[in-house]
Each structure stands twice: as structure tokens, then as C-alpha cells.
Amino acid sequence: MTRRLPPAPTDQYVTLSQARLVATRALLTVRENLADTIAARAMMCIHGGAGFGKTVAVTSCLRELEPGEEIHRITFHARPTTRAVRHELFTSLGLPGQPPRYASEFDHLLKTALATHPRTLVLDEAQWLSSDQLEYVRYLWDDPYTQLAVVFVGGEGCYQTLRKEPMLSSRIFIWQRLARLTPEEVLDVIPLYHPIWAEADPGDIAFADQHAAHGNFRNWARLTAHTHTALQRTGRTRVDQEVLRWAFSRLAPTG
């Protein structure tokens, strides 16, 4: 589990010189929805398939709000216990001393800390949370004295996981689903993502999306890295379908 927003250079899926974060329509909507959720001290859910840019969009937008907004981020890579969630919050909030042994004492400590000033809690990979942990988050947020905004971020299954909890889902202020880039968006966005695509023929970009990237930003990041390598090794200055086919050969087959 991680507790801080990652540094800006890690926004890209792979280390790739000159790659840029592009303000897509989805990212701009995330920015607006996060601002509204935080202003209301509410809860929101951002969900979608793997590689669609959920975590990148959320972290890059939240980073713009620091240091004015205190942000705590916890990422789940396996199903935690409620005790583990308590301990993660204790550590993330930087509370002194040792964590309390008893749940009631622990909960009182966390609610007291969360009442001191406004905070935003980001729960990434929230599809791993069970009913008990989701209820615990709602319990903390529902306290009339805590000043907490909560952002659930998750992949496939996150929406269904939260919707199964009526006490929680009825309190979600904004739901946002991130989807694949459409073919039209690909032609608008990808030339801005990296210089190798800026001068590429739109037909070649469409070819790359159809055969390898499929509107998925993580796929585009890998494809861009391999295509960049191909250009360097061949001495070519522009992307073409021969270069792209070599890059495709390094990726898992699709379709």
C-alpha cells in the first residue's frame, strides 16, 4: 500500500523522454469532478478498465491542489482487513505513538484526527475493498465532525462493488466512468502525447490504434516506447507501417 501522490515523472506508464500528459476530455472532466467533490467534502467514484488513465488523471489533477489541500492516498493490491485499513490511515495521517489495540479506541482517535481540518482521502484499486471496509469508510465520512472528501478509484468491478453497498452508494456525489479513446480522440490526442506522432500520417496513427493500442493509453505508452526505439535504431525520422509492424512484434497479439 502506498500513501502519497507519486511524483509527476511517474505519470507516464513507461519512462519515455518527451512524453506529455495530454488534457483529454476525460481528464478535464476528472479535474472538474474532483474540485466539486472536494469543495462539497463529498465522495466520488472514478472507475474504468485497466490502462484507461484513471490513476494518472486523478493523481495529476490532485497534485495541482497541493499544498492547499491535504491529500492522503492509499493503494490496495490485495484484499485488506478493516484492521489494516485503520493502520494505513494511522500511518498516512502521521499520528504519534503506537496504534491503539482496541477498535473503539482506534476509531475515536481517527475521527478526532479527521475532525481537525479538511482532508482528501484517495482509495486506489478500491475494487479490493470488501463490504466491511467500505462500511468503515462510510462510517468515518458520515461522522458530523470529520472534514473528509473521499475519492474511490478502481478498475473492472469497482462500480459493482460500491453499488452493492446501498448505504455507501447512495452517498456517492459523482460517478465517473473512464473509457477507451475513440478513434477520433486518438487522432486528436496522440500527436500531442509524443513528438514521434506529431508528424506522423494520421492513417498510420489509426493503423497503430486499430492493430495494437485500441484506444488504451497504457498500450499507447508501450507502443510509443517501442516505436521510438525502432526509429533510433533504423535512423528513420518518421513513423511508417514498417516501423509500426516491428513495434507490434514486441507486444502481445490482439484480436
Side-chain angles (χ1 to χ4, degrees), residues 93-158:
L93 293 171
L95 300 179
Q98 295 297 315
R101 293 181 57 189
Y102 301 107
S104 59
E105 184 183 354
F106 213 149
D107 294 347
H108 176 73
L109 176 66
L110 290 176
K111 288 195 291 183
T112 299
L114 292 170
T116 58
H117 58 271
R119 293 178 174 88
T120 293
L121 175 63
V122 181
L123 300 175
D124 202 2
E125 302 295 346
Q127 69 272 10
W128 286 105
L129 294 171
S130 70
S131 179
D132 287 346
Q133 286 87 62
L134 291 170
E135 171 59 21
Y136 186 67
V137 173
R138 184 199 65 79
Y139 163 75
L140 294 177
W141 179 84
D142 249 357
D143 187 278
Y145 299 104
T146 58
Q147 303 177 63
L148 191 62
V150 180
V151 181
F152 295 99
V153 184
E156 297 295 349
C158 180

Side-chain angles (χ1 to χ4, degrees), residues 79-220:
R79 195 170 297 281
T81 63
T82 304
R83 175 181 172 82
V85 173
R86 287 188 178 98
H87 278 263
E88 285 295 320
L89 287 169
F90 181 91
T91 302
S92 183
L93 293 171
L95 300 179
Q98 295 297 315
R101 293 181 57 189
Y102 301 107
S104 59
E105 184 183 354
F106 213 149
D107 294 347
H108 176 73
L109 176 66
L110 290 176
K111 288 195 291 183
T112 299
L114 292 170
T116 58
H117 58 271
R119 293 178 174 88
T120 293
L121 175 63
V122 181
L123 300 175
D124 202 2
E125 302 295 346
Q127 69 272 10
W128 286 105
L129 294 171
S130 70
S131 179
D132 287 346
Q133 286 87 62
L134 291 170
E135 171 59 21
Y136 186 67
V137 173
R138 184 199 65 79
Y139 163 75
L140 294 177
W141 179 84
D142 249 357
D143 187 278
Y145 299 104
T146 58
Q147 303 177 63
L148 191 62
V150 180
V151 181
F152 295 99
V153 184
E156 297 295 349
C158 180
Y159 174 83
Q160 292 82 356
T161 297
L162 269 63
R163 289 292 292 172
K164 287 179 183 176
E165 306 300 325
M167 293 288 286
L168 175 70
S169 64
S170 65
R171 289 163 168 78
I172 298 294
F173 187 54
I174 295 175
W175 299 87
Q176 183 180 349
R177 178 178 179 270
L178 267 64
R180 298 178 187 275
L181 296 172
T182 66
E184 294 75 21
E185 287 175 316
V186 166
L187 294 179
D188 288 338
V189 169
I190 296 306
L192 302 175
Y193 170 58
H194 195 277
I196 68 170
W197 305 113
E199 301 299 325
D201 186 288
D204 289 335
I205 295 175
F207 176 80
D209 192 57
Q210 179 183 358
H211 290 275
H214 311 295
N216 183 303
F217 244 121
R218 191 172 296 165
N219 291 345
W220 269 109

Side-chain angles (χ1 to χ4, degrees), residues 227-243:
T227 304
H228 186 261
T229 297
L231 292 173
Q232 288 182 320
R233 291 182 181 175
T234 61
R236 300 188 186 190
T237 58
R238 285 176 62 99
V239 173
D240 57 37
Q241 292 195 12
E242 184 179 0
V243 166

Side-chain angles (χ1 to χ4, degrees), residues 8 12 27-29 31 33 42 55 62 70 93 102-103 119 151 158 187 195 198 226 230 244:
Q12 307 302 330
L27 186 143
L28 294 174
T29 303
R31 182 179 296 162
N33 288 342
T55 300
L62 287 176
E70 184 176 323
L93 293 171
Y102 301 107
R119 293 178 174 88
V151 181
C158 180
L187 294 179
H226 293 314
L244 288 174

